[in-house]
């Protein structure tokens, strides 16, 4: 029989509260900005801030509910209900000033959607069509923003871990990845002189000049460390799971690892990677909740909530840190 705490966390009450707070915060202190310019292999786009935008918030909500639908279909975490959705919304609360309607919000959607391709390819080395689609989605994203290369980490490692990679699948994945660029060049949508270099700014070259920089760096560091610690802990605990369940959960472990590495080597792009990190942290907290039976299963969830409250208080109140 579920406890009251379990019912509150896994049913709609916690989700409704998290969503309400997100809406209040984003409209209480909106950010007006033209957005970041995103450069990909062939094209340049401009993002807009999520805060204060109804369609952007709806996109964020879709990104939050997809993992729950995915778990409903494949049941790789038991008795968690809407907990992943709720924790994703909670994890994005401290990041509300760094969320953009663009790559940052679209990437969690793509990570969750391509999980279906990986899961359906389990122990199937004739899954060329799924690999082709995954490669095409990633390749299309890279045309507009190099950050989409991050999605290749869980997809490629996930397919290898799912024992689905043979020479046919590898060829299909590579063909799908390169096809969008060939189509863009072949139809004169772009030309070879439009090819743009990839600029990165590692974390050790970051300038911290004001309170906002301190909060962003601290938020990113704590969330990344928290996600990695939980990932390692969950890896140890899931060794006794059935192979198929380990493969499903490993997809999000690979996403966690890839996102943390991407943040280290390209911290200048942190606004793009943070929503994916929030998704990974939500999964790790939910997995810990699912596989733990003691009172300790609540620890990551409570820690994330407390951290969120502190971050919001520091950001919304006139506090000087530097």
């Amino acid at each position: 029989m579920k406890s009251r705490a379990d019912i509150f966390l896994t049913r709609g009450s916690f989700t409704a509260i998290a969503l309400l707070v997100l809406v209040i915060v984003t409209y209480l202190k909106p950010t007006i900005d033209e957005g970041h310019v995103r450069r990909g292999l062939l094209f340049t786009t401009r993002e807009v801030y999520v805060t204060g935008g109804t369609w952007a918030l709806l996109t964020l909500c879709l990104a939050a509910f997809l993992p729950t639908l995915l778990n409903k279909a494949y049941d790789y975490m038991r008795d968690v209900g809407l907990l992943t959705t709720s924790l994703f919304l909670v994890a994005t609360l401290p990041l509300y000033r760094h969320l953009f309607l663009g790559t940052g919000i679209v990437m969690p959607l793509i990570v969750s959607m391509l999980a279906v391709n990986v899961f359906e390819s389990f122990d199937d080395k004739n899954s060329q069509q799924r690999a082709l689609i995954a490669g095409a989605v990633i390749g299309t994203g890279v045309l507009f923003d190099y950050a989409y290369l991050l999605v290749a980490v869980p997809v490629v490692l996930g397919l290898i871990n799912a024992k689905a990679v043979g020479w046919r699948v590898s060829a299909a994945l590579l063909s799908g990845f390169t096809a969008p660029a060939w189509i863009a060049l072949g139809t004169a949508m772009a030309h070879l002189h439009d090819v743009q270099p990839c600029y990165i700014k590692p974390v050790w070259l970051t300038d911290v000049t004001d309170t906002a920089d301190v909060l962003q760096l601290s938020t990113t560091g704590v969330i990344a460390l928290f996600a990695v610690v939980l990932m390692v802990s969950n890896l140890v605990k899931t060794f006794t799971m059935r192979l198929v369940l380990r493969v499903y959960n490993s997809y999000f472990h690979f996403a966690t690892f890839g996102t943390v590495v991407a943040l280290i080597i390209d911290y200048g792009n942190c606004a793009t990677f943070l929503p994916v990190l929030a998704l990974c942290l939500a999964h790790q907290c939910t997995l810990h909740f699912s596989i733990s039976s003691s009172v300790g299963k609540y620890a990551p969830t409570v820690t994330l909530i407390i951290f969120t409250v502190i971050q919001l208080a520091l950001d919304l109140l006139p506090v000087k840190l530097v």
Side-chain angles (χ1 to χ4, degrees):
M1 184 176 179
K2 285 188 175 182
S3 65
R4 290 184 178 180
D6 288 355
I7 294 174
F8 172 76
L9 291 174
T10 59
R11 302 289 172 85
S13 302
F14 186 31
T15 307
I17 293 173
L19 184 57
L20 178 62
V21 174
L22 177 64
V23 172
I24 291 175
V25 168
T26 54
Y27 280 92
L28 178 66
K29 200 171 183 180
T31 303
I32 301 175
D33 191 275
E34 294 182 352
H36 289 179
V37 174
R38 312 299 312 166
R39 290 183 172 85
L41 180 65
L42 295 175
F43 302 110
T44 299
T45 57
R46 181 177 291 277
E47 296 178 326
V48 293
Y49 276 100
V50 164
T51 53
T54 303
W55 283 106
L57 285 175
L58 288 175
T59 306
L60 181 62
C61 291
L62 178 59
F65 279 96
L66 267 183
T68 296
L69 296 176
L70 191 66
N71 184 56
K72 188 77 173 177
Y74 294 96
D75 198 26
Y76 49 87
M77 295 185 291
R78 302 292 175 86
D79 301 322
V80 296
L82 291 167
L83 184 57
T84 308
T85 295
S86 304
L87 292 178
F88 176 76
L89 293 173
V90 170
T92 56
L93 279 173
L95 315 176
Y96 76 98
R97 282 187 172 277
H98 316 296
L99 296 177
F100 302 90
L101 181 56
T103 305
I105 296 301
V106 173
M107 208 182 306
L109 290 171
I110 293 178
V111 169
S112 296
M113 288 190 294
L114 291 186
V116 176
N117 293 55
V118 175
F119 294 175
E120 289 293 329
S121 300
F122 176 72
D123 202 20
D124 180 11
K125 293 191 176 181
N126 293 314
S127 53
Q128 297 96 312
Q129 290 182 344
R130 302 187 194 99
L132 183 69
I133 292 172
V137 171
I138 299 170
T140 301
V142 170
L143 294 183
F144 297 91
D145 193 343
Y146 281 107
Y148 282 102
L149 286 171
L150 168 62
V151 184
V153 176
V155 169
V156 174
L157 295 181
L159 287 172
I160 294 173
N161 193 43
K163 300 180 180 179
V165 175
W167 73 268
R168 292 186 180 88
V169 172
S170 300
L173 190 64
L174 184 61
S175 298
F177 181 77
T178 57
W182 285 114
I183 293 173
L185 293 172
T187 57
M189 295 173 60
H191 302 86
L192 284 177
H193 61 76
D194 293 324
V195 175
Q196 304 176 96
C198 178
Y199 297 101
I200 62 173
K201 184 179 181 180
V203 67
W204 53 86
L205 296 181
T206 301
D207 298 324
V208 179
T209 57
D210 55 25
T211 299
D213 293 334
V214 174
L215 286 174
Q216 179 173 299
L217 186 59
S218 63
T219 298
T220 305
V222 172
I223 292 179
L225 180 61
F226 193 18
V228 170
V229 170
L230 277 176
M231 180 189 71
V232 174
S233 174
N234 290 335
L235 273 172
V236 174
K237 292 181 180 179
T238 55
F239 280 147
T240 57
M241 281 186 173
R242 291 187 295 120
L243 177 60
V244 64
L245 296 180
R246 292 205 306 270
V247 168
Y248 291 169
N249 283 292
S250 293
Y251 176 83
F252 291 97
H253 296 333
F254 295 138
T256 303
F257 172 78
T259 306
V260 172
V261 172
L263 281 167
I264 293 173
I265 65 176
D266 190 15
Y267 182 76
N269 234 353
C270 70
T272 301
F273 301 130
L274 284 176
V276 184
L277 184 60
L279 172 66
C280 295
L281 179 57
H283 173 85
Q284 299 298 343
C285 289
T286 306
L287 180 59
H288 180 87
F289 180 90
S290 175
I291 61 181
S292 301
S293 56
S294 62
V295 180
K297 69 180 182 179
Y298 301 108
T301 299
V302 174
T303 301
L304 179 57
I305 294 173
I306 293 174
F307 172 73
T308 298
V309 171
I310 293 173
Q311 284 294 312
L312 285 177
L314 290 174
D315 197 15
L316 295 175
L317 297 176
V319 179
K320 294 287 185 180
L321 298 182
V322 292

